[in-house]
Amino acid sequence: MSQDLFAYQGEQVRRRHAPLADRMRPRSLEEFEGQSGILADGRLLRRAIKADRVGNLILHGPPGVGKTTLARIIATHTRAHFSSLNAVLAGVKDLRQEVDAAHQRLERHGLRSILFIDEVHRFNSAQQDALLPWVENGTVTLIGATTENPYFEVNKALVSRSRLFRLLPLEATDLHHLLERTLNDAERGYGDRSVVVSDEAAAHLVDVANGDARSLLNALELAVESSSAGSDGSVLIDLSIAEESIQQRAVLYDKHGDAHYDTISAFIKSLRGSDADAALFWLARMVEAGENPRFIFRRMLIAAGEDIGLADPQAMVVVEACAAAFERVGLPEGLYPLAQAALYLAGAEKSNSLLGFFDALKTVRAANQQDVPSHLRDANRDGAAFGDGVGYRYPHAYAEHWVEQQYLPTALQGEVFWQPGSLGWEGQRRERMAERRAAQLAAAVELAADQPLLLSSGPDDPGLDRWIQRQIGQGENRLDQLRQRLWEGVHWRRNDRVLLIGVRSLLWAIDPLKAAPDGGVTLLVSDDDAVDRLRAQVDLLDPSQQPQLLQGGLEQLQTLPEGQRFEWIGGRLTSSDLPGRSGAELFDHLSAVSQDGTQLRLMISQADAGPATTLVAAATAITDSEREQLAPLLREEETLVRSQWTRLTPPTDNGPWRIETSHWQEQLLMPGGQALAQRWLENDSFYRKQIDAIDAESLALLRRLLNKQGAHPLRLPMQHRLLRGVVDSRP
């Protein structure tokens, strides 16, 4: 529709009297400030605008960042008909009129229509639904603008048919450019007047505007229009005028520009250092300087997580509650909750253990193998086909609602990210966490020691490794029960000196470390891999609680200081421990570091059958000829098991030792199948190295029987012997 003379004149008057923010709206992409993330040269949205290929868009972001302005720029670049509605004022009737007009333009002239809806989130569900069919069939191209999150406030169907662009608050440099352009623009800004804005005033306006271009221009307009020109005809905007125009006092500490950062740094470090007096002083200085209390609360929330954390989980709650109270009561009474939050943080116990999250983040970015362990996967989808979820143990079905179980990926088993401090809430749980970690880390190494013929030194298989890790929970915390049986009835003294041999994890050292902190614990470790693993676990303990590590065989006991003796000697040995040593040699070395009254608790665990023997006992479809073919191998296994069992048997004459022995048996369950066959029977497996000779036919038969066994469990017999003793040199 053409304008008459009066309408044109009215439009020109409206433009002259429009607010500065409206007059200074950018008219092209070149004038548009900020949003380089979506509008820089080569970016998708910029290319689409210039090519007039803009599809359905939803622009969302805080006020004053250019959403409406960007839509108007699109209108100047498109050959389509552009119309706009404000959702605050428009209704379904207005939508229908726009859609009908768009339909006619498309049918009669082949002209596309772009409909811009400002504040689109203000449309209710019915109004948004009325728009959906025409957006879907292309009658109109929608450009929506909203200050809310479109995923929550806009119809999901509209969101799914639109490309979302998030506009961010403008950077300080962008606002400075806008301010300079406004002062130099003679047509729409103040270029035709002599307006001088001091550097301090400009910095204050930009800082308080907080990324909002409209807020900046409104404040500038108020400052200029309310100020009188000087004798030279220029309008000077200094800091005091800028403060009045934007209704917020400038934060003034001293003449140095970095005082703001120095003061908040001193405040946070006073909180971290538990100095309540210093915290109040720096807080008062910030308040007096005009610092925004919301900024101070924000920094205290960060300190509650970074410097206090789980030493006092209530710290975060208290600061958040004080911040909410401040919002409700305002200043000056809001200074009470502000000071309360600061004093609570200064007086709270401190811990930075939450920084462990960033260690985990580094591991996530660096680690390659991060597969979810099979037993932790969702069993509802592919459990039947792939065994997902099989083997998961429900913690609530166990004592104390906890069971030793692998939760990290196999490649990361043993990694420690959270190291709880010794104070407050996490300090109360530190000891229990250490015990549970030791129990979990013990799983694989201890089970491998129980069944070296089956589990040691074979080709890697993640599935089997995952099973090994889970076996610690077999029979309701099996290893923990063995630990309790080992130390049952022991009466420790705080200054007892304790020697542990054959340990592969801190599981067996938990009791003496806790009960004899003054005497100290020494660990004799012959396995090189176990040494590295134990060092990693020991580093988690307080220096005063860390045991001494001796790496090597029994001869390492000779490196101890001359005259050092132990009140207790204990540990757990398996058939793979102390190779080439006999029971007599073992007790000779132990006698050298003992004294009258030294007490012994030593558990010896041994597989009671070899792999072939176990498989033949489990297989139900084995023929007589197959059994006969395996007979030589079975006899060799029996000889090997018997020799390993007798090797560490204490001699009949124990010298000064008075020893009582108890025995018991148990059975472990091992799933069969191809993975286990590979573990047992590959050339470099522990089993092949121990058996002198195995012919190809017997090897093939064993592999075939094991594959036939499938996932049905094999029962692995175990025998344990507990030696209780004391040194008594009396005749």
Side-chain angles (χ1 to χ4, degrees):
M1 181 184 295
S2 61
Q3 287 184 319
D4 59 27
L5 180 61
F6 297 102
Y8 175 78
Q9 184 178 0
E11 178 66 18
Q12 295 303 309
V13 172
R14 188 200 65 78
R15 289 184 178 180
R16 285 197 303 271
H17 292 281
L20 178 63
D22 187 62
R23 300 199 309 269
M24 289 302 300
R25 283 187 187 276
R27 293 172 292 191
S28 66
L29 289 174
E30 287 68 30
E31 290 185 357
F32 197 90
E33 299 289 353
Q35 314 306 333
S36 59
I38 60 175
L39 288 175
D41 288 336
R43 296 288 187 181
L44 171 65
L45 184 55
R46 192 183 189 96
R47 298 200 314 270
I49 293 173
K50 289 194 170 183
D52 193 15
R53 293 295 181 183
V54 176
N56 298 315
L57 302 178
I58 294 180
L59 308 173
H60 66 105
V65 296
K67 300 183 294 298
T68 304
T69 298
L70 185 57
R72 293 186 179 185
I73 291 175
I74 293 174
T76 64
H77 281 74
T78 183
R79 290 183 295 274
H81 181 274
F82 188 93
S83 57
S84 63
L85 292 175
N86 191 303
V88 177
L89 304 174
V92 174
K93 179 181 178 181
D94 303 292
L95 279 177
R96 287 175 178 169
Q97 290 177 350
E98 291 293 343
V99 169
D100 290 343
H103 189 68
Q104 292 180 8
R105 284 190 291 270
L106 190 62
E107 282 189 343
R108 297 177 182 179
H109 310 291
L111 183 64
R112 296 181 297 113
S113 298
I114 295 177
L115 177 60
F116 171 63
I117 301 179
D118 204 3
E119 305 292 341
V120 66
H121 65 277
R122 295 295 189 95
F123 272 161
N124 60 34
S125 180
Q127 291 170 317
Q128 294 183 31
D129 288 340
L131 183 63
L132 180 61
W134 313 112
V135 172
E136 190 166 18
N137 65 20
T139 301
V140 296
T141 298
L142 172 68
I143 298 180
T146 174
T147 56
E148 305 296 330
N149 188 330
Y151 287 106
F152 297 115
E153 302 296 336
V154 180
N155 188 309
K156 291 183 179 179
L158 281 180
V159 171
S160 69
R161 289 162 176 79
S162 307
R163 184 177 292 276
L164 272 60
F165 287 96
R166 182 184 179 190
L167 278 68
L168 302 174
L170 274 64
E171 299 290 339
T173 53
D174 300 325
L175 293 178
H176 277 291
H177 290 159
L178 175 59
L179 185 62
E180 183 179 354
R181 183 162 59 86
T182 302
L183 295 175
N184 295 328
D185 191 323
E187 178 186 354
R188 296 176 294 162
Y190 293 123
D192 59 343
R193 299 171 60 178
S194 177
V195 177
V196 179
V197 180
S198 69
D199 292 341
E200 294 82 1
H204 180 62
L205 291 173
V206 167
D207 181 57
V208 177
N210 197 27
D212 185 337
R214 185 182 295 108
S215 175
L216 172 69
L217 294 178
N218 288 342
L220 176 64
E221 182 178 25
L222 179 59
V224 173
E225 300 300 337
S226 63
S227 300
S228 302
S231 57
D232 59 353
S234 63
V235 177
L236 175 62
I237 307 300
D238 58 15
L239 180 58
S240 62
I241 296 176
E243 288 177 334
E244 292 177 357
S245 66
I246 207 163
Q247 290 297 294
Q248 186 167 327
R249 180 181 170 189
V251 179
L252 297 176
Y253 293 95
D254 52 27
K255 296 180 180 179
H256 302 289
D258 57 358
H260 160 79
Y261 302 102
D262 290 342
T263 307
I264 191 63
S265 175
F267 174 64
I268 294 301
K269 289 173 180 174
S270 299
L271 296 179
R272 185 181 298 142
S274 301
D275 191 328
D277 299 312
L280 283 180
F281 172 80
W282 296 117
L283 177 63
R285 181 170 177 180
M286 288 189 289
V287 170
E288 182 63 20
E291 188 67 82
N292 190 336
R294 295 180 181 86
F295 167 75
I296 301 174
F297 273 119
R298 186 163 61 248
R299 293 303 303 266
M300 285 197 288
L301 280 170
I302 296 171
E306 179 182 359
D307 296 317
I308 295 170
L310 293 176
D312 186 351
Q314 286 296 310
M316 188 77 71
V317 179
V318 169
V319 177
E320 179 64 26
C322 289
F326 175 86
E327 294 295 335
R328 175 165 297 197
V329 303
L331 290 172
E333 290 84 356
L335 295 177
Y336 288 113
L338 183 66
Q340 179 180 344
L343 289 174
Y344 189 94
L345 296 186
E349 301 286 7
K350 303 299 189 295
S351 170
N352 65 346
S353 66
L354 294 183
L355 295 179
F357 168 76
F358 298 98
D359 294 332
L361 202 59
K362 290 179 183 177
T363 302
V364 167
R365 292 169 178 169
N368 294 322
Q369 299 181 357
Q370 300 179 10
D371 293 339
V372 176
S374 176
H375 64 288
L376 298 184
R377 295 175 185 168
D378 181 11
N380 296 318
R381 296 176 293 113
D382 305 318
F386 299 103
D388 290 348
V390 175
Y392 172 70
R393 293 190 300 281
Y394 188 58
H396 298 300
Y398 294 83
E400 297 184 1
H401 303 268
W402 180 82
V403 60
E404 297 96 333
Q405 186 168 213
Q406 174 195 4
Y407 293 101
L408 279 170
T410 300
L412 299 179
Q413 190 68 8
E415 287 285 345
V416 175
F417 302 114
W418 182 48
Q419 299 186 32
S422 58
L423 301 176
W425 182 89
E426 64 181 6
Q428 297 168 6
R429 291 153 179 81
R430 176 185 175 92
E431 186 175 302
R432 183 175 64 181
M433 289 289 298
E435 292 180 7
R436 290 180 173 180
R437 273 179 174 152
Q440 286 180 319
L441 293 173
V445 294
E446 299 294 347
L447 191 68
D450 285 344
Q451 290 285 349
L453 294 181
L454 305 181
L455 306 176
S456 299
S457 305
D460 291 334
D461 178 74
L464 191 60
D465 288 338
R466 284 195 294 269
W467 179 86
I468 292 171
Q469 299 286 351
R470 295 198 297 269
Q471 290 311 295
I472 188 169
Q474 190 180 69
E476 295 192 0
N477 307 334
R478 169 182 170 267
L479 284 179
D480 193 58
Q481 290 182 355
L482 290 178
R483 175 183 67 84
Q484 294 179 28
R485 192 160 186 170
L486 173 65
W487 301 119
E488 184 179 8
V490 171
H491 299 289
W492 304 96
R493 294 175 300 181
R494 289 184 59 87
N495 60 348
D496 281 341
R497 293 165 296 180
V498 183
L499 170 66
L500 299 181
I501 62 175
V503 294
R504 291 173 172 79
S505 72
L506 287 184
L507 176 70
W508 311 102
I510 288 174
D511 296 78
L513 283 173
K514 186 169 22 175
D518 297 339
V521 178
T522 300
L523 308 181
L524 179 63
V525 189
S526 57
D527 187 339
D528 292 340
D529 292 336
V531 170
D532 295 335
R533 185 167 50 249
L534 281 168
R535 282 205 177 101
Q537 297 179 43
V538 165
D539 288 341
L540 301 178
L541 301 176
D542 291 334
S544 61
Q545 298 176 335
Q546 292 180 359
Q548 178 185 3
L549 293 183
L550 289 181
Q551 182 177 0
L554 292 171
E555 63 278 357
Q556 286 298 313
L557 295 177
Q558 301 173 6
T559 66
L560 292 171
E562 186 177 355
Q564 179 171 345
R565 298 292 184 267
F566 296 93
E567 281 75 32
W568 279 94
I569 297 176
R572 181 172 184 254
L573 298 176
T574 67
S575 56
S576 60
D577 285 316
L578 307 178
R581 300 285 189 177
S582 65
E585 292 177 283
L586 169 63
F587 277 89
D588 285 344
H589 281 87
L590 296 185
S591 297
V593 292
S594 62
Q595 59 189 2
D596 273 351
T598 295
Q599 300 193 64
L600 176 74
R601 285 296 178 93
L602 189 61
M603 184 181 295
I604 301 175
S605 301
Q606 167 69 46
D608 210 22
T613 306
T614 303
L615 181 60
V616 169
T620 56
I622 188 170
T623 65
D624 292 339
S625 61
E626 291 171 335
R627 193 182 303 274
E628 183 177 352
Q629 182 179 343
L630 293 176
L633 182 59
L634 297 178
R635 287 193 293 270
E636 190 168 354
E637 279 189 5
E638 182 179 0
T639 301
L640 176 62
V641 169
R642 187 184 304 112
S643 66
Q644 290 179 336
W645 180 243
T646 57
R647 180 171 60 85
L648 294 178
T649 300
T652 304
D653 181 9
N654 295 319
W657 292 95
R658 305 291 179 261
I659 295 177
E660 296 179 354
T661 305
S662 59
H663 301 263
W664 71 94
Q665 294 182 331
E666 68 168 334
Q667 288 189 335
L668 301 181
L669 299 181
M670 170 76 77
Q674 185 175 1
L676 190 60
Q678 184 182 22
R679 187 102 181 189
W680 281 1
L681 304 176
E682 286 296 317
N683 290 331
D684 58 349
S685 69
F686 188 86
Y687 177 68
R688 293 287 298 275
K689 293 176 181 178
Q690 293 296 313
I691 300 297
D692 291 336
I694 179 171
D695 59 84
E697 292 185 3
S698 297
L699 185 64
L701 176 58
L702 269 178
R703 194 182 300 276
R704 186 170 66 252
L705 290 175
L706 190 58
N707 290 335
K708 187 188 299 183
Q709 183 74 11
H712 296 289
L714 299 176
R715 297 184 177 276
L716 308 178
M718 289 288 301
Q719 189 164 173
H720 302 283
R721 178 168 44 190
L722 179 60
L723 308 180
R724 293 184 177 90
V726 62
V727 172
D728 185 359
S729 58
R730 294 174 299 178

